[in-house]
Amino acid sequence: PQISDAEAGEFIGTIKKLISGKGGEVLSEDWLGRRKFFHPISKKRDGFYIYLKLKAEPQMVYEIRRALHLQEKILRVEIIAAEETVQKK
């Protein structure tokens, strides 16, 4: 079933609590809105795109990713390390 904008907002609040509960900090949030997928994902044709910039230790990032993948309403998760946080050798 499709979720409304209000339900998506409530769900993102839950995700932000999950991130802070795992030791992370949400620095910014950018709603890109409901968009059509390039190809169906789990038989769904559209979904909400939300960009969260967060700060967390490497081990916490693993735990956050795992917790997000366990959420039924989340179809895809992409976590990318920002250049300013990657330590150079």
Side-chain angles (χ1 to χ4, degrees):
Q2 295 288 337
I3 63 172
S4 68
D5 290 357
E7 290 173 318
E10 289 175 16
F11 185 67
I12 289 304
T14 302
I15 295 303
K16 288 165 64 174
K17 287 179 188 174
L18 182 143
I19 290 169
S20 62
K22 296 285 184 185
E25 176 186 356
V26 176
L27 302 175
S28 67
E29 170 184 336
D30 187 16
W31 280 74
L32 304 175
R34 185 182 295 272
R35 303 235 174 140
K36 188 173 181 178
F37 298 143
F38 181 70
H39 55 82
I41 301 173
S42 299
K43 299 183 181 180
K44 306 269 189 296
R45 298 215 168 262
D46 64 8
F48 285 97
Y49 281 77
I50 299 151
Y51 173 81
L52 295 175
K53 184 173 183 180
L54 58 99
K55 181 178 179 180
E57 295 296 319
Q59 182 60 30
M60 293 299 109
V61 172
Y62 171 78
E63 291 185 26
I64 290 167
R65 179 192 311 263
R66 183 177 172 278
L68 291 175
H69 279 290
L70 294 174
Q71 298 290 323
E72 290 182 13
K73 293 181 181 180
I74 296 179
L75 299 176
R76 292 284 161 100
V77 173
E78 187 68 37
I79 298 178
I80 301 169
E83 278 189 41
E84 65 264 14
T85 62
V86 177
Q87 294 180 0
K88 297 180 182 179
K89 292 183 179 183

